[in-house]
Amino acid sequence: MNKRGHVLNAVLLAIGLGYILEPSGDVETFRTIAEVFVPVVLGALFPDVDTAFGKHRKTLHNLPVLAIVGAYPLYFGNLQWVWLGVLTHYVLDVLGTTRGIALFYPLWSKEFDVPFGIPVDSQYTDLMMLTVTAVELAGTFLLLKYAAPVVLEAQQTILPALQ
C-alpha cells in the first residue's frame, strides 16, 4: 500500500469512528472526529518511518511494535487511537501488497502475506483500501455495540466478587 492509501484509509476511518462513537451528527460528533483524527493518521504513517532506518516492512511492521503502541495510552494517558492507525497500516500492507510484513520481527524475519494480495501499483489498490476501511468500520461498530457491553457487564459482576 502506498502513503496515499494509508492516509486516505486513516482519514476515512477517523471520520467513521467519530460517527460510531458519537452518532448524533452534531458538534459532539465533529469534536470526536477531531479527537481521533490526528492519532489515527499518525499511527497509519508511523510504520513507514522504517524506510529511513532499519529494514522496511520489518523494523516497525511487527506485533511487538503494535503491542508497545497499544500499551502507550495505558501508561501515558494520550494518543488512545494511534494503535488503530498502526493496525490498519499492517492490514493494508498485508492485503495491498504481494510482499507482506514481518509480523514477528526481530525474532523471525519471515514476511507474511495473503495469496490474494495485490501489487502496490495495481488499479485495484483504492478499491481494496476502501473495502478494508468498510470492514474495519463494521467490525469496530459491532465490537462497540455488542462486545463492549458484555465485557463491561462481566467486569462489574466479576471484579466486586473478587474483592
Side-chain angles (χ1 to χ4, degrees):
M1 178 61 50
N2 56 33
K3 279 186 186 137
R4 179 182 162 276
H6 285 302
V7 171
L8 186 56
N9 169 262
V11 167
L12 295 173
L13 195 58
I15 292 168
L17 186 59
Y19 275 95
I20 289 170
L21 294 171
E22 186 56 57
S24 62
D26 61 9
V27 173
E28 270 308 301
T29 302
F30 293 104
R31 190 193 72 70
T32 304
I33 291 169
E35 181 181 341
V36 302
F37 185 87
V38 171
V40 171
V41 172
L42 286 175
L45 292 172
F46 175 70
D48 280 343
V49 170
D50 69 8
T51 58
F53 71 92
K55 298 177 181 179
H56 185 53
R57 299 241 178 113
K58 286 184 175 35
T59 305
L60 295 177
H61 287 70
N62 56 64
L63 295 178
V65 168
L66 182 60
I68 291 167
V69 172
Y72 193 90
L74 297 173
Y75 291 102
F76 298 105
N78 60 4
L79 299 177
Q80 282 79 359
W81 296 101
V82 170
W83 67 269
L84 185 60
V86 172
L87 178 62
T88 194
H89 184 110
Y90 292 0
V91 170
L92 289 172
D93 276 355
V94 168
L95 296 175
T97 67
T98 53
R99 180 177 164 194
I101 62 174
L103 285 172
F104 302 103
Y105 188 83
L107 302 173
W108 190 14
S109 291
K110 178 179 175 18
E111 293 180 353
F112 293 88
D113 63 353
V114 293
F116 53 85
I118 60 172
V120 174
D121 59 353
S122 169
Q123 66 183 11
Y124 300 109
T125 302
D126 288 341
L127 177 61
M128 185 278 303
M129 181 274 304
L130 290 171
T131 303
V132 168
T133 304
V135 169
E136 290 169 338
L137 287 171
T140 301
F141 174 78
L142 292 173
L143 280 171
L144 291 174
K145 176 99 172 140
Y146 298 107
V150 170
V151 170
L152 289 174
E153 185 178 326
Q155 284 178 336
Q156 291 172 354
T157 304
I158 295 170
L159 290 179
L162 294 175
Q163 293 175 346

